[in-house]
Amino acid sequence: MKSQRPMAAEEEHCVVPFRPRNGPARRVTETASASGNPPVPLRRPEPVSLDLSRYERPREEPDDFRHRILANIAAIAFTIALTAIGIWLAMSIADLRKTQDCLLTGRRDCARIITETYTP
């Protein structure tokens, strides 16, 4: 009968040492070419400026703030209406579930009766 133990590989429990990156910057050089010339240091890329002006372009027409405000108001009203409908739907489903659970237990007085008082 074969043993049921898994075989552990030697590479499975290997610790890899990492060197910290905060040391002095080293110069990277190309290897010497086949003609016997000495290695040439590689150029580092120029630091990229964080200025976003190169992505800007002049607008053909100015911003229409009135249209933007109306669109934002419409979006907020739609979001509020959608939230209100979702809350109403959740409450209705919870009420129906409560009534159904009551009926399934065999009770007969489960329906909610709404009475209005008449005041002359």
Side-chain angles (χ1 to χ4, degrees):
M1 181 174 196
K2 294 183 180 181
S3 74
Q4 298 289 328
R5 290 186 334 187
M7 296 178 62
E10 291 183 19
E11 295 99 24
E12 186 177 348
H13 301 287
C14 182
V15 177
V16 180
F18 289 101
R19 294 184 304 249
R21 291 187 177 188
N22 56 3
R26 294 181 288 167
R27 294 203 106 162
V28 179
T29 59
E30 291 182 3
T31 58
S33 64
S35 63
N37 293 335
V40 179
L42 294 176
R43 290 186 183 175
R44 293 191 181 243
E46 294 293 324
V48 178
S49 65
L50 299 176
D51 188 20
L52 299 177
S53 63
R54 62 180 167 173
Y55 298 110
E56 293 178 0
R57 60 180 172 191
R59 294 187 179 261
E60 297 169 4
E61 55 192 45
D63 282 341
D64 188 7
F65 292 109
R66 180 179 172 90
H67 175 72
R68 189 186 310 177
I69 289 173
L70 290 176
N72 287 342
I73 290 172
I76 289 172
F78 178 74
T79 304
I80 290 172
L82 197 62
T83 304
I85 290 170
I87 291 171
W88 171 79
L89 186 61
M91 291 176 67
S92 297
I93 291 173
D95 189 36
L96 287 172
R97 185 178 346 136
K98 192 184 303 181
T99 304
Q100 186 179 20
D101 288 344
C102 180
L103 288 172
L104 288 175
T105 58
R107 295 177 58 189
R108 296 184 189 269
D109 57 345
C110 299
R112 206 169 77 186
I113 300 172
I114 300 173
T115 58
E116 294 182 21
T117 57
Y118 176 72
T119 56

